[in-house]
Amino acid sequence: MSFCLGLTGSIGMGKSTTAKIFADLGCEVWDADAAVHRLYGQGGGAVTPISAVFPDAVVNGIVSRDILKRIISERPDALKEIERIVHPLVAQDRAGFRKTSSADILVFDIPLLFENGGNSAMDAVAVVSVSEELQEIRVMQRGTMTQDQFLHIKSMQMPDAEKRARADYVIITDTQDHARQQVQDIITEIRSIIDNA
């Protein structure tokens, strides 16, 4: 039996970098965003059901995230429809990963883990965190969104303090070296839990 660790954190907190550290240190990582990309890609499981409801959103056999965003901004009920289609497919992808993975620690990189109640399926949860100032600097440096868009996304996510309070582990990602040391400590602790189970 593998130990299932949920990895989450708000936008710009360093989740993707931390997931990569877990992978580098021998854990197998399942990435929710990557699963959605697979489902939206050529031949992906979401293409046909989304084209049935939002035909404009599929271009050359691929679901366009940009067009979906536009549809959602024009029709507030559209997001619920998309989630109704995509969430079960993502859950299926995650279950497949669980079944075929052999590592002792499986890490599930899920941005909205607490918001969607996914934490209940995990043995433990790690939250990545930094100061609000550094969070905003990181997101703005990406150059992919305005400050208003960033604040909107942030407002839809559970506050960082609440996530930290609910987590089994908190990883401060102020520097890569600091994050790596904390990840190493978590892996060591989990392996001792597995050995004593």
Side-chain angles (χ1 to χ4, degrees):
M1 271 298 276
S2 301
F3 187 101
C4 295
L5 178 69
L7 177 66
T8 194
S10 301
I11 184 172
M13 292 293 194
K15 193 169 48 55
S16 299
T17 304
T18 304
K20 191 179 175 323
I21 296 170
F22 273 105
D24 291 346
L25 295 174
C27 302
E28 283 188 58
V29 177
W30 180 83
D31 179 333
D33 288 339
V36 172
H37 277 288
R38 283 194 297 277
L39 291 166
Y40 284 180
Q42 202 87 44
V47 176
T48 302
I50 284 194
S51 70
V53 185
F54 306 107
D56 299 351
V58 176
V59 181
N60 299 325
I62 295 170
V63 176
S64 164
R65 287 184 154 202
D66 290 337
I67 295 172
L68 279 186
K69 278 182 198 161
R70 197 191 68 225
I71 291 169
I72 291 164
S73 69
E74 291 165 2
R75 284 183 42 199
D77 62 318
L79 180 60
K80 285 265 181 285
E81 275 291 288
I82 294 161
E83 287 175 345
R84 189 182 55 74
I85 294 166
V86 176
H87 283 179
L89 295 170
V90 170
Q92 219 172 8
D93 191 277
R94 187 170 63 240
F97 167 81
R98 249 180 141 140
K99 214 165 25 194
T100 57
S101 297
S102 56
D104 58 343
I105 300 172
L106 305 181
V107 177
F108 293 84
D109 175 352
I110 304 175
L112 299 175
L113 183 71
F114 285 126
E115 290 86 342
N116 293 332
N119 53 303
S120 62
M122 300 295 148
D123 295 311
V125 174
V127 166
V128 293
S129 183
V130 286
S131 68
E132 287 194 354
E133 295 75 29
L134 186 50
Q135 176 190 24
E136 186 167 339
I137 288 166
R138 283 179 179 170
V139 174
M140 291 298 101
Q141 279 176 343
R142 292 178 190 169
T144 55
M145 64 178 73
T146 65
Q147 189 176 25
D148 283 348
Q149 288 170 322
F150 161 62
L151 293 172
H152 176 67
I153 288 171
K154 198 173 151 186
S155 74
M156 291 169 66
Q157 296 180 333
M158 182 183 286
D160 178 52
E162 192 177 334
K163 283 182 180 164
R164 287 197 319 259
R166 294 178 63 177
D168 300 285
Y169 303 102
V170 176
I171 302 166
I172 305 300
T173 63
D174 49 355
T175 69
Q176 284 223 28
D177 286 344
H178 188 206
R180 179 174 284 271
Q181 183 55 59
Q182 294 165 87
V183 168
Q184 185 64 73
D185 292 345
I186 290 167
I187 290 172
T188 301
E189 185 175 320
I190 291 173
R191 289 201 168 127
S192 80
I193 291 168
I194 294 168
D195 291 342
N196 294 320

